[in-house]
Amino acid sequence: MSPRGVATPDVRERLFAAAERVVERDGPGALTSRAITTEAGCAKGLLHTHFAGLDEFVAELCLDRFARTAAKAQALSQLTGQDTVARNLDTVTLALFDSAGPALSGLAMSRPATTRRIREALEGGASGLTAIEEAVATYLAAEQRLGRVPETLDSSTVALAIVGTAHHLLMTSWPGTPDPRPRMTRLVATLLDD
């Protein structure tokens, strides 16, 4: 436990990681400020020092994880011509399901103030599913130019199908439901076979 008055390094990430562990272990209903700070091993008021409340915290956590996945998607262009197209896409699509992704998505959707804050941030240009979709489409077009993806493949539509399916699986998966990742992998493989 950090002593009172001593700076906690990387406080945002420490609290975010703690929240994901709480949700994975105990489910979304167990996510409270106290549960997060206890899991993080820090002072009880730390979350409220950095966030206006739990709704803002959950929104910022979701936006942070969207931004991380968007950065992975934008890095796809560096993989053009390497490994297989399906495996490269899997690195991005499966990242959406890392850690407590499905549970956090459900949690965010059940909190109207959190949902509103996320929507406003996305409308304001924060990285989200649209950035991931655009990066996937750009990557597929680059692979088409190399002949690794059929010329007839509509890269924008395939990107929409991949990201839309990931979104659907995030919204309908929660602790206790089947792992959505195998379905995502099968979808990517099927879309690339056409």
Side-chain angles (χ1 to χ4, degrees), residues 35-188:
I36 295 164
T37 54
T38 299
E39 181 71 26
C42 58
K44 302 295 179 225
L46 189 63
L47 186 140
H48 293 284
T49 300
H50 293 274
F51 301 93
L54 194 56
D55 285 325
E56 179 181 310
F57 173 82
V58 172
E60 290 298 318
L61 170 57
C62 291
L63 290 166
D64 179 81
R65 295 327 192 220
F66 274 149
R68 285 180 181 208
T69 305
K72 282 184 182 181
Q74 289 159 352
L76 270 173
S77 62
Q78 298 167 7
L79 300 176
T80 303
Q82 301 174 34
D83 205 345
T84 69
V85 175
R87 263 194 289 267
N88 292 340
L89 288 172
D90 281 347
T91 64
V92 171
T93 57
L94 298 181
L96 287 164
F97 302 98
D98 284 351
S99 196
L104 287 176
S105 296
L107 175 66
M109 296 306 293
S110 70
R111 302 176 73 89
T114 298
T115 304
R116 184 175 46 257
R117 187 171 187 86
I118 291 170
R119 186 180 61 248
E120 289 168 357
L122 293 173
E123 288 171 355
S127 291
L129 295 174
T130 301
I132 297 166
E133 179 186 337
E134 290 167 357
V136 168
T138 299
Y139 166 72
L140 287 170
E143 291 288 16
Q144 275 180 314
R145 288 189 290 278
L146 292 179
R148 290 175 22 109
V149 171
E151 285 183 30
T152 56
L153 185 90
D154 182 341
S155 59
S156 294
T157 301
V158 169
L160 175 62
I162 289 170
V163 173
T165 300
H167 182 259
H168 166 73
L169 291 173
L170 279 168
M171 295 297 111
T172 59
S173 298
W174 47 83
T177 61
D179 184 351
R181 292 173 292 196
R183 293 174 73 191
M184 218 40 243
T185 298
R186 285 193 307 274
L187 174 79
V188 168

